[in-house]
Amino acid sequence: MLQCKRHLDLGCGLSPRNPYGAHESFGCDIREIDSLDDLGFTYRKANLIEEPIPYDDGFFDSVSAFDFIEHIPRQSFTTSKGHCNPFIDLMNEIYRVLRPGGVFLAITPAYPNVSAFTDPTHVNTITEHTHEYFCGTEPMGRIYGFTGKFEALTAKRETGSNVDPIDQPEFRKMMRRLHRRLFRGGLSHMLWELKKA
């Protein structure tokens, strides 16, 4: 398992995930939180469609996004940036705040499962191949401004409950997958573990 000192959860609300069991937990969300006292983690507010992740370069060992990236538009027009590609910009930001060898973990409703389209705030449809735009020696996302280079450790269909914590017993994960396939219409999410090259 990844040795993790600092972990950032994007779209964390009041309960950031810490799937790798990092010593220090950080969160970032668009929400205004009334009191930052006694949260048990470090919180920063940011609109990640328009703003950078408010942490320094190479600060985190891992970053997670649970049911988050489907809410980031692929293209947008903002008053501050004009025409932009917020999803590409976010992937650049995730790459920037990860240390070399750090890992980005995402679990996201994916096409063709109905969960990818049910929530009216889902604006970014993820497929089994979306991660390829950010991986390899020459990622396809370069043509849209992606400047990083991830290595795909995992890119597969999964159920969300099998991800936090990431090191659950494989038998338990297998039983959940089977249940989802037999009784709940299949595996609705894509799981990415992308390592910063």
Side-chain angles (χ1 to χ4, degrees), residues 172-189:
R172 183 181 300 162
K173 291 181 181 183
M174 184 180 69
M175 294 306 293
R176 285 190 187 119
R177 285 184 204 113
L178 181 62
H179 182 264
R180 290 279 318 180
R181 285 184 175 122
L182 293 176
F183 303 110
R184 310 250 341 253
L187 296 174
S188 58
H189 286 60

Side-chain angles (χ1 to χ4, degrees), residues 12-71:
C12 67
L14 292 173
S15 303
R17 308 284 183 101
N18 188 1
Y20 297 106
H23 301 294
E24 297 176 62
S25 183
F26 297 77
C28 186
D29 201 311
I30 197 169
R31 303 171 192 191
E32 193 71 55
I33 296 178
D34 293 336
S35 173
L36 298 179
D37 298 333
D38 301 322
L39 283 177
F41 67 98
T42 302
Y43 178 82
R44 293 199 182 154
K45 179 183 182 288
N47 177 351
L48 297 179
I49 294 171
E50 295 190 14
E51 301 173 79
I53 296 174
Y55 292 97
D56 293 336
D57 296 1
F59 190 73
F60 295 104
D61 300 295
S62 57
V63 173
S64 61
F66 286 78
D67 294 299
F68 177 72
I69 61 175
E70 69 274 14
H71 298 279

Side-chain angles (χ1 to χ4, degrees), residues 1 13 69 79 192:
M1 185 158 131
I69 61 175
T79 54
W192 294 350

Side-chain angles (χ1 to χ4, degrees), residues 119-140:
D119 185 332
T121 66
H122 289 183
V123 294
N124 185 2
T125 305
I126 303 300
T127 75
E128 291 183 1
H129 300 286
T130 304
H131 72 283
E132 294 170 2
Y133 276 78
F134 310 104
C135 296
T137 56
E138 286 298 319
M140 291 185 281

Side-chain angles (χ1 to χ4, degrees), residues 67-109:
D67 294 299
F68 177 72
I69 61 175
E70 69 274 14
H71 298 279
I72 303 297
R74 289 184 178 225
Q75 293 193 337
S76 184
F77 186 89
T78 68
T79 54
S80 61
K81 293 182 174 180
H83 180 267
C84 59
N85 298 308
F87 183 42
I88 297 291
D89 295 344
L90 177 64
M91 293 301 291
N92 278 329
E93 282 295 296
I94 291 166
Y95 193 85
R96 179 186 66 77
V97 300
L98 280 170
R99 67 160 172 79
V103 174
F104 172 50
L105 175 73
I107 185 89
T108 308

